[in-house]
């Protein structure tokens, strides 16, 4: 799904974090795709967020495209 032209960033978190809860608190809409992936909708952008190998509810790292 990713090619070399796609902007992406990896984020390490200091402790396990429920990504959905953080997005809810920030007022950012999202759609859960499966346990390790969601699509966040912010302004006019859609961000593909994956948390493998952890689940979205207990993430230590994020890959955001």
């Amino acid at each position: 799904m990713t090619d070399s032209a796609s902007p992406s960033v990896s984020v390490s978190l200091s402790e396990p974090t429920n990504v959905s809860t953080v997005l809810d608190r920030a007022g950012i809409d999202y759609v859960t795709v499966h346990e390790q992936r969601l699509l966040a909708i912010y302004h006019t952008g859609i961000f593909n967020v994956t948390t493998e190998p952890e689940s979205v509810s207990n993430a230590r790292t994020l890959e955001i495209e």
Side-chain angles (χ1 to χ4, degrees):
M1 178 178 277
T2 302
D3 62 35
S4 60
S6 296
S8 65
V9 65
S10 292
V11 178
S12 295
L13 305 170
S14 60
E15 60 186 42
T17 302
N18 186 325
V19 178
S20 301
T21 300
V22 172
L23 293 174
D24 284 338
R25 287 182 188 157
I28 298 173
D29 293 325
Y30 63 90
V31 176
T32 301
V33 177
H34 58 68
E35 186 176 301
Q36 296 167 323
R37 180 176 175 216
L38 59 81
L39 300 174
I41 301 110
Y42 185 70
H43 292 283
T44 60
I46 298 174
F47 301 91
N48 181 37
V49 180
T50 54
T51 61
E52 293 182 38
E54 304 94 0
S55 70
V56 169
S57 63
N58 195 35
R60 283 195 168 274
T61 59
L62 306 175
E63 182 73 28
I64 304 169
E65 298 175 32

